[in-house]
């Protein structure tokens, strides 16, 4: 897997190392790889720790207490700060936060903060995808599906985006989407689209759903509890938002996809050699064997069960389905076991299955490391005590405003905070106890503050380079970050304006 290789167009000459042979005078500057972007963000944030004064809020039950912000004196010297920078990737993987000091470091006692669970999950998904590909069932199945859906491509894109959006609005589908890129990219290429379409179906679909969360326990649930209201408060407005924003995103994607289908030269992602090989496969496909059908059923069932296992059915009022409460450790185990079962049933044998598992994990290691680096940025901020300082400054901005302007301002104020705190649940637990009471003085229901927060968090996490979901998904799709920004820029503007309109509407109806 390449996370920073520049795609080429068909017929482009190649150097001996496989890179594009472009005359020196014509070389255009390349956007840095995902790793370089995250390293740069890490260094910039580390530099801010020497400028932004440290401070803390008193906490109660893990949440900050309003009006308790105070400056703190950190005993960490330059050497300690430098060590935090040096260890940030390690902390991002398996750092532990000490309950007494609030500092995150490898080992020790406290709450686990690192992304080791997500890291292993990505490797397990890579193993599962590769084993399935080695059986030939997935390739044959995608070819058969593409053949049957040639006349229903638009409907396919809309339905898939709606399904991912449904996952986002109900349970905050985020890192879980990383497992779907191996299936989606081959499918859209076979249908004549480009890799951007495949990436956007998943990333934008789930992202817009999370932006308009209705009962998402990690966003709406945590924020509503911190604001002292029920999860169902304000759900009517959020349901309307979800329907409108999902429709808007689907229209935007279909518009781009049709343009690429009609004129591939207008694609923002020049084709890779393997893309053209897949598109070149024509003719009538061979019928699926019984063994291939069994493998495809197991493949689909694994993803369906993953979704079922992470949805909190009890919190949604669904009492006839059990709430398993699975998270990344259980999901990683699920995909590892599924990889072995698929390999055995497909007849790969012990050696073939083991080799496919190792190769698959190796293919996905780049995306896993990106997740590790992204989590390390947050550790640097927390250890330097600047997260609460930034929150305190934003609190002063919204104080004293009222009505519709207040709700729009709350949305805008949460945008920079969402960048610095990419975790939706962490953002909610940190900001809501402080910002929600402001709604009482503005004559606006607290549910609007929750809606403003989750909209800002979802909007930022569609594009922020500190998001493991964005950078990891783009790495798996082999889509450059700058190309993705070009694709999403108009949509981000449309979403920003539409959300602001919903904020005003919500304030008027409160």
């Amino acid at each position: 897997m390449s996370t920073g290789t520049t795609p080429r167009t068909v017929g482009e000459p190649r150097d001996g190392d496989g890179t594009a042979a472009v005359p020196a005078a014509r070389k255009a500057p390349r956007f840095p790889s995902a790793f370089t972007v995250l390293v740069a963000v890490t260094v910039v944030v580390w530099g801010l720790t020497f400028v932004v004064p440290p401070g803390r809020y008193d906490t109660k039950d893990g949440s900050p207490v309003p009006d308790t912000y105070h400056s703190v004196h950190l005993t960490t010297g330059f050497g300690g700060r430098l060590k935090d920078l040096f260890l940030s990737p390690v902390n991002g993987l398996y750092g532990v936060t000490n309950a007494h000091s609030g500092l995150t470091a490898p080992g020790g006692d406290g709450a686990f903060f690192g992304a080791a669970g997500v890291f292993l999950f990505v490797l397990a998904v890579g193993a599962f995808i590769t084993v399935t590909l080695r059986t030939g069932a997935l390739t044959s199945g995608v070819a058969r599906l593409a053949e049957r859906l040639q006349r229903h491509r638009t409907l396919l894109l809309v339905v898939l985006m709606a399904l991912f959006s449904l996952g986002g609005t109900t349970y905050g589908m985020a890192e879980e989407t990383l497992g779907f890129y191996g299936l989606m990219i081959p499918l859209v290429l076979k249908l004549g689209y480009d890799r951007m379409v495949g990436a956007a179906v998943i990333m934008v679909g789930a992202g817009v759903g999370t932006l308009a969360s209705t009962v998402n326990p990690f966003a709406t649930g945590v924020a509503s509890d911190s604001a002292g209201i029920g999860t169902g408060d304000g759900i009517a407005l959020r349901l309307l938002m979800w329907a409108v924003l999902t429709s808007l995103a689907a229209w935007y994607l279909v518009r781009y996809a049709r343009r690429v289908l009609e004129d591939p030269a207008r694609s923002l992602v020049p084709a890779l050699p393997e893309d053209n090989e897949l598109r070149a496969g024509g003719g009538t496909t061979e019928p699926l064997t019984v063994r291939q059908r069994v493998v495809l059923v197991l493949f689909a069932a694994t993803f369906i069960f993953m979704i079922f296992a992470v949805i909190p059915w009890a919190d949604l009022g669904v009492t006839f389905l059990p709430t398993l409460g699975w998270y990344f450790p259980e999901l990683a185990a699920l995909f590892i076991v599924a990889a072995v079962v698929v390999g055995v049933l497909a007849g790969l044998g012990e050696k073939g299955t083991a080799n496919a598992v190792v190769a698959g994990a190796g293919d996905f290691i780049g995306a896993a490391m990106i997740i590790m680096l992204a989590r390390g940025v947050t550790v640097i901020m927390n250890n330097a005590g600047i997260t609460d300082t930034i929150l305190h400054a934003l609190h002063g901005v919204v104080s004293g405003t009222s009505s519709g302007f207040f709700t729009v301002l709350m949305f805008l104020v949460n945008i920079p905070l969402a960048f610095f705190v990419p975790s939706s649940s962490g953002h909610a637990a940190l900001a809501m106890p402080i910002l929600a009471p402001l709604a009482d003085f503005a004559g606006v229901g607290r549910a609007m503050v929750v809606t403003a927060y989750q909209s800002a968090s979802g909007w930022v996490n569609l594009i922020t380079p500190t998001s493991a979901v964005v950078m990891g998904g783009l790495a798996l799709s082999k889509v450059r970050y700058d190309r993705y920004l070009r694709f999403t820029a108009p949509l981000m503007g449309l979403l920003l304006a539409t959300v602001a309109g919903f904020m005003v509407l919500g304030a008027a109806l409160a």
Side-chain angles (χ1 to χ4, degrees):
M1 173 183 295
S2 173
T3 58
T5 303
T6 304
R8 71 182 182 97
T9 54
V10 180
E12 186 180 57
R14 312 295 286 177
D15 285 329
D17 62 354
T19 57
V22 181
R26 296 178 55 193
K27 281 187 176 179
R30 294 182 177 181
F31 193 84
S33 69
F35 289 104
T36 304
V37 170
L38 282 176
V39 169
V41 170
T42 301
V43 173
V44 169
V45 170
W46 182 74
L48 287 176
T49 66
F50 294 94
V51 178
V52 180
R56 302 278 189 196
Y57 280 100
D58 294 339
T59 59
K60 182 179 181 181
D61 298 327
S63 297
V65 179
D67 300 323
T68 62
Y69 174 81
H70 55 278
S71 298
V72 297
H73 175 69
L74 296 181
T75 58
T76 308
F78 180 80
R81 298 279 183 90
L82 193 60
K83 184 178 180 181
D84 274 345
L85 176 63
F86 178 67
L87 288 177
S88 61
V90 179
N91 277 323
L93 182 61
Y94 62 89
V96 175
T97 303
N98 184 275
H100 176 70
S101 66
L103 299 179
T104 300
D109 298 325
F112 187 78
F113 188 84
V118 185
F119 189 94
L120 181 58
F121 168 74
V122 171
L123 299 186
V125 169
F128 177 66
I129 294 292
T130 301
V131 169
T132 307
L133 286 172
R134 293 273 176 100
T135 67
L138 188 58
T139 304
S140 299
V142 167
R144 293 283 293 177
L145 182 62
E147 184 180 280
R148 294 188 177 187
L149 294 177
Q150 286 290 336
R151 299 181 180 180
H152 305 285
R153 301 175 188 180
T154 298
L155 178 62
L156 175 66
L157 294 180
V158 172
V159 170
L160 288 174
M161 175 165 276
L163 288 175
F164 282 109
S165 182
L166 186 63
T169 193
T170 54
Y171 73 92
M173 193 178 196
E175 285 89 350
E176 298 90 344
T177 61
L178 297 175
F180 289 93
Y181 288 94
L183 173 64
M184 191 57 58
I185 297 300
L187 175 59
V188 298
L189 290 176
K190 187 64 179 178
L191 292 173
Y193 301 124
D194 63 4
R195 288 176 174 267
M196 186 70 76
V197 173
V201 165
I202 300 173
M203 194 177 304
V204 176
V208 168
T210 303
L211 188 160
S213 294
T214 50
V215 291
N216 173 10
F218 306 109
T220 310
V222 174
S224 298
D225 180 70
S226 300
I229 61 176
T231 303
D233 291 351
I235 193 171
L237 179 67
R238 293 195 293 268
L239 278 170
L240 180 60
M241 283 184 63
W242 176 75
V244 171
L245 296 182
T246 301
S247 300
L248 178 63
W251 166 81
Y252 185 84
L253 174 65
V254 168
R255 178 172 169 267
Y256 171 82
R258 285 178 173 172
R259 190 168 67 228
V260 170
L261 194 62
E262 294 171 358
D263 183 5
R266 302 182 69 182
S267 169
L268 294 176
V269 187
L272 295 172
E274 56 264 36
D275 301 349
N276 296 302
E277 291 174 7
L278 182 58
R279 289 196 180 102
T284 303
T285 58
E286 294 293 328
L288 295 173
T289 65
V290 173
R291 181 170 282 181
Q292 287 176 329
R293 292 178 185 275
V294 171
V295 169
L296 289 176
V297 169
L298 286 173
F299 183 80
T302 301
F303 282 106
I304 292 172
F305 184 79
M306 178 194 76
I307 295 173
F308 169 80
V310 299
I311 293 179
W313 299 105
D315 294 343
L316 301 179
V318 180
T319 57
F320 60 89
L321 292 176
T323 297
L324 299 182
W326 280 23
Y327 206 52
F328 293 111
E330 294 86 356
L331 295 178
L334 169 67
F335 280 102
I336 291 174
V337 171
V340 174
V341 171
V342 167
V344 171
L345 291 179
L348 294 182
E350 177 272 331
K351 187 174 182 179
T353 301
N355 289 341
V357 168
V358 173
D363 288 341
F364 277 56
I365 189 67
M369 291 183 67
I370 286 171
I371 293 170
M372 174 187 70
L373 290 173
R375 185 67 60 89
V377 176
T378 305
V379 173
I380 291 177
M381 292 183 58
N382 291 343
N383 281 358
I386 67 172
T387 302
D388 283 9
T389 301
I390 295 172
L391 179 64
H392 178 65
L394 295 175
H395 171 219
V397 173
V398 301
S399 229
T401 58
S402 61
S403 191
F405 180 75
F406 168 81
T407 57
V408 174
L409 191 57
M410 285 295 292
F411 169 60
L412 297 177
V413 161
N414 273 284
I415 287 177
L417 183 57
F419 174 81
F420 289 108
V421 189
S423 167
S424 58
S425 56
H427 181 175
L430 191 63
M432 286 302 100
I434 299 167
L435 300 181
L438 298 177
D440 301 336
F441 300 100
V444 176
R446 291 191 176 193
M448 285 305 304
V449 180
V450 172
T451 303
Y453 132 76
Q454 66 182 38
S455 298
S457 178
W459 189 84
V460 170
N461 283 327
L462 277 169
I463 59 170
T464 178
T466 62
S467 169
V469 177
V470 172
M471 304 308 284
L474 293 178
L476 294 174
S477 304
K478 296 183 181 180
V479 172
R480 280 174 21 192
Y481 181 63
D482 61 322
R483 301 294 178 95
Y484 177 70
L485 289 182
R486 285 178 59 187
F487 169 79
T488 55
L491 177 62
M492 295 299 290
L494 290 173
L495 293 175
L496 185 73
T498 306
V499 170
F502 273 108
M503 294 298 103
V504 175
L505 176 64
L509 298 177

